[in-house]
Amino acid sequence: MTHAHRAEDRAFAAPGHDHRACARDVLDRAERVCAERGARLTDIRRRVLEALAADHAPAGAYEVIERLTHAGEKPPAPITVYRALDFLLEQGLVHRIESRNAFVACSSDHAGAEGAPVVFLICERCGAVGEAATPAFADALRALARASGFRPRAPVIEVSGECAHCRTKLKLREPDAVDA
C-alpha cells in the first residue's frame, strides 16, 4: 500500500511512524516512474533519492553529499549530486523548496495533475515538510490565474508555520498556551 498523500490524508506523518515504509514507497515509485518513462535511475540518482527520503525534512545539496559519504570514502563531486538532483526534479521525484534552497523527496503521485499546485507546509520548529493538496484549492488557484489572464507552468506554494505535532508538544510544555 502506498503512503502517497491524498486530500484526506494528513500532510505530516505522525511522530514515531515507521519512516522506512515512507522511504520504500518513494523508491518504489521512482523505479516505477523511471521504468514507465524509459529513464535510467542510476546508482548515484538512487543514492541521492535515498538520502532525501531518509526523513521528511528538506536537505541542501551539500547535506546530501554528507549523507552519501561514509567514513573513509571520498565524497561525490557536487556537480554529480546537482546533476542527479536535476534528473530527479525533471522526473517529479523530488521537489525544490525555494525558501530553504533545499530539496525534499516527493511523497505524492502527481500523475494527471499537470499544472496543479504543489503546496508545501513547512514546520519552522521541527523542519518537516508536508505535501498537501485538495481539488478545491487547485480549482481556486486555476480560477484566480485564469481571471488574471495568467497561465501557471509549475505552481508551487510554500507555507511556513508549525505542524500539529510541534504545537501539541508546545501545549504539553505550556499548559496555558492558546491555539492560534
Side-chain angles (χ1 to χ4, degrees):
M1 178 178 166
T2 184
H3 291 97
H5 298 292
R6 296 178 312 268
E8 65 273 19
D9 288 344
R10 299 191 52 95
F12 292 91
H17 74 287
D18 181 5
H19 186 70
R20 292 172 302 192
C22 296
R24 235 182 354 264
D25 286 348
V26 166
L27 293 169
D28 289 348
R29 181 174 161 269
E31 289 174 3
R32 186 180 71 250
V33 165
C34 288
E36 289 170 0
R37 297 178 183 167
R40 285 192 53 221
L41 188 62
T42 62
D43 181 56
I44 188 65
R45 292 169 178 171
R46 173 185 298 284
R47 290 180 59 212
V48 168
L49 184 58
E50 286 171 344
L52 288 172
D55 60 34
H56 295 288
Y62 284 89
E63 187 176 345
V64 170
I65 291 170
E66 287 176 21
R67 291 179 183 184
L68 294 176
T69 307
H70 302 288
E73 284 186 355
K74 180 181 174 191
I79 190 68
T80 302
V81 171
Y82 278 111
R83 285 181 181 148
L85 288 167
D86 285 343
F87 169 85
L88 296 169
L89 281 166
E90 289 170 11
Q91 299 302 319
L93 302 172
V94 302
H95 295 291
R96 182 180 169 96
I97 306 295
E98 296 291 336
S99 64
R100 304 291 194 265
N101 192 25
F103 303 86
V104 65
C106 179
S107 59
S108 298
D109 188 359
H110 300 290
E114 189 164 320
V118 177
V119 181
F120 296 110
L121 305 174
I122 305 168
C123 183
E124 295 171 334
R125 290 192 180 274
C126 68
V129 173
E131 202 173 322
T134 65
F137 181 77
D139 292 343
L141 186 59
R142 279 190 207 98
L144 176 69
R146 193 172 27 255
S148 301
F150 185 78
R151 188 166 78 187
R153 256 194 332 263
V156 175
I157 299 167
E158 298 179 22
V159 181
S160 294
E162 294 176 333
C163 70
H165 308 300
C166 288
R167 284 197 336 271
T168 299
K169 281 189 230 173
L170 186 61
K171 282 182 189 177
L172 293 176
R173 286 190 301 239
E174 299 175 14
D176 296 329
V178 178
D179 199 3

